[in-house]
Amino acid sequence: MLKEFQEFVGCEQKKLLKHSPTSWLSMHRCLTRLLEQYKAVKSYFTSHKEAEKRRSKFGQIHSTLQDPSALPWLQFISHVLVQLDFPGNLV
């Protein structure tokens, strides 16, 4: 179903990655993939009927993605995480 939204917004079809709590370095890869797919993911959660249920996990994700500060915040966290993953690349 996400593939339809990826095609609609014109982003490359890739699977979303799951962060592994035992490997904290996976967080940057997961966040990078989410940022690549952000438009498709946001469209998916916006169009789904489950989004109206604020108490569900789905509704919480929908609410977060509707916040105008969500994308800049994720971009900031990604920038910080790249410094942790590759400390020699300090910008």
Side-chain angles (χ1 to χ4, degrees):
M1 198 166 182
L2 179 60
K3 288 180 183 181
E4 297 169 13
F5 291 93
Q6 291 169 326
E7 288 175 9
F8 178 73
V9 299
C11 63
E12 188 177 348
Q13 292 183 10
K14 293 183 179 179
K15 291 182 180 181
L16 293 178
L17 302 175
K18 182 179 178 184
H19 168 62
S20 169
T22 58
S23 175
W24 66 273
L25 292 175
S26 70
M27 188 178 293
H28 182 251
R29 287 188 302 250
C30 295
L31 187 53
T32 299
R33 181 65 56 88
L34 176 61
L35 288 170
E36 289 172 359
Q37 303 292 318
Y38 189 80
K39 286 183 182 178
V41 171
K42 184 174 180 178
S43 295
Y44 173 78
F45 280 95
T46 299
S47 70
H48 205 282
K49 293 177 185 176
E50 188 74 19
E52 297 169 6
K53 300 177 182 176
R54 297 264 185 229
R55 292 187 179 165
S56 70
K57 227 12 151 178
F58 200 99
Q60 291 172 358
I61 294 169
H62 172 264
S63 295
T64 299
L65 292 173
Q66 296 307 309
D67 184 339
S69 67
L71 182 58
W73 177 249
L74 291 171
Q75 291 168 329
F76 171 75
I77 296 298
S78 178
H79 179 74
V80 171
L81 287 174
V82 78
Q83 307 307 320
L84 297 174
D85 279 357
F86 310 104
N89 293 339
L90 292 175
V91 179

